[in-house]
Amino acid sequence: MPGVAAAVALVLCAYGVEHAAEDSAARAAARVTAAHQAPAPTVVPRSAWLGDTAREQPPPRYDDEVVAVFVHHTDSPNDYDCADAPGIIRGLYDGQTGARDWDDLGYNFVVDRCGTVYEGRAGGTDRPVTGAHTQGFNHRTTGVAALGTFTEGVPVPPEMLRAIAAVTAWKLGTSGTDPRADVRLVSSNGGSRYAAGTTATLPAVAGHSDGYMTDCPGAALRARLPEIRTLAARLQGRETEDTVPEDTVPEDTVPDDTRTAVRNNNDTRNEEQVP
């Protein structure tokens, strides 16, 4: 039946054209995303601070992608030796899984004053693990906690800022998100700043207090968020006319005669919120 054959051929042709277009769009999107992906920083695994003493917990939960990063501080002392950071993180874990009865550490990553990045919540650092760090906005986001307390007037170590920017550039790069952009997130909990179901427009690199009623990550660290955004964008290979203070620019991008001395200072704090 010529008519039927023609109709089938037309459908198959349309199907082929449609999927060719979809494939072409997908490849184009992949090229755009790949152009702004940043390399993963070195991340110390959970075993370094947790060992084999993890509490029994349910399997990790995952989102489709990461489009925003929430910056926290742990509200813990700043005058620690960086060699003691694993023990301090273990103490945070014990507090959150013990006194608060959470299933795991809420933060996806923890950064110490020396710029060392630690794996926080279980599930795989290269995957979009759903955290428990910003009530109402744990989905499609990553929580990065600076180890320490960063209230107004407290210096934030440049090593820490660089490490936060590196994690930010890496995780946002997987979704092609510009760290300087605003993103739309849907609140999942009325305990946040937004009623459940509300679509909120927030910075792609936000402070904990942008999504929840808190002082976290402290006035000193919040004031450095613009620098973190700019440096993260630069690490993604994006053009930017914004300037970044020399003490936060990775050394290999700064001429030898303008490199600043390494400074060891204080950190930031955090308050975790369950989903």
Side-chain angles (χ1 to χ4, degrees):
M1 295 181 291
V4 173
V8 170
L10 181 61
V11 169
L12 290 176
C13 180
Y15 179 86
V17 170
E18 177 183 352
H19 280 261
E22 290 176 353
D23 291 344
S24 177
R27 286 193 297 270
R31 286 195 297 271
V32 171
T33 299
H36 296 298
Q37 286 183 342
T42 299
V43 179
V44 178
R46 282 167 60 90
S47 58
W49 57 265
L50 187 56
D52 58 359
T53 59
R55 291 164 55 103
E56 185 176 352
Q57 63 186 64
R61 292 172 297 166
Y62 299 94
D63 290 299
D64 59 332
E65 60 183 354
V66 172
V67 299
V69 172
F70 279 98
V71 179
H72 305 257
H73 63 182
T74 57
D75 200 14
S76 53
N78 295 326
D79 58 349
Y80 57 86
D81 189 298
C82 290
D84 297 328
I88 299 172
I89 298 172
R90 172 57 193 271
L92 295 172
Y93 172 85
D94 289 341
Q96 292 178 4
T97 60
R100 297 188 180 186
D101 198 29
W102 294 1
D103 61 353
D104 194 3
L105 188 69
Y107 316 112
N108 298 97
F109 300 92
V110 180
V111 177
D112 72 13
R113 60 183 291 167
C114 294
T116 302
V117 180
Y118 291 86
E119 177 184 12
R121 196 169 183 82
T125 59
D126 60 342
R127 301 187 64 184
V129 179
T130 305
H133 49 82
T134 305
Q135 184 161 295
F137 296 101
N138 290 306
H139 295 287
R140 310 186 83 208
T141 69
T142 282
V144 182
L147 193 62
T149 302
F150 290 95
T151 50
E152 186 172 0
V154 176
V156 185
E159 298 86 355
M160 176 176 279
L161 292 173
R162 289 197 294 266
I164 294 173
V167 174
T168 295
W170 167 45
K171 296 304 289 186
L172 293 185
T174 61
S175 63
T177 302
D178 188 329
R180 302 161 299 178
D182 288 336
V183 297
R184 292 163 63 84
L185 297 170
V186 179
S187 173
S188 63
N189 191 305
S192 74
R193 287 190 179 277
Y194 301 85
T198 301
T199 298
T201 300
L202 298 170
V205 181
H208 186 184
S209 54
D210 286 312
Y212 184 74
M213 290 71 74
T214 175
D215 292 332
C216 179
L221 185 54
R222 167 169 280 283
R224 308 300 291 272
L225 291 182
E227 298 165 27
I228 291 173
R229 295 179 187 118
T230 300
L231 180 53
R234 187 172 297 176
L235 291 172
Q236 286 185 349
R238 297 180 186 274
E239 294 292 333
T240 172
E241 296 180 357
D242 297 332
T243 58
V244 179
E246 289 179 356
D247 66 355
T248 60
V249 177
E251 287 194 354
D252 60 0
T253 67
V254 181
D256 290 340
D257 59 352
T258 61
R259 286 181 181 167
T260 54
V262 173
R263 289 179 283 168
N264 292 321
N265 280 316
N266 302 327
D267 302 76
T268 85
R269 111 181 185 188
N270 168 331
E271 305 158 15
E272 301 281 5
Q273 302 297 328
V274 294

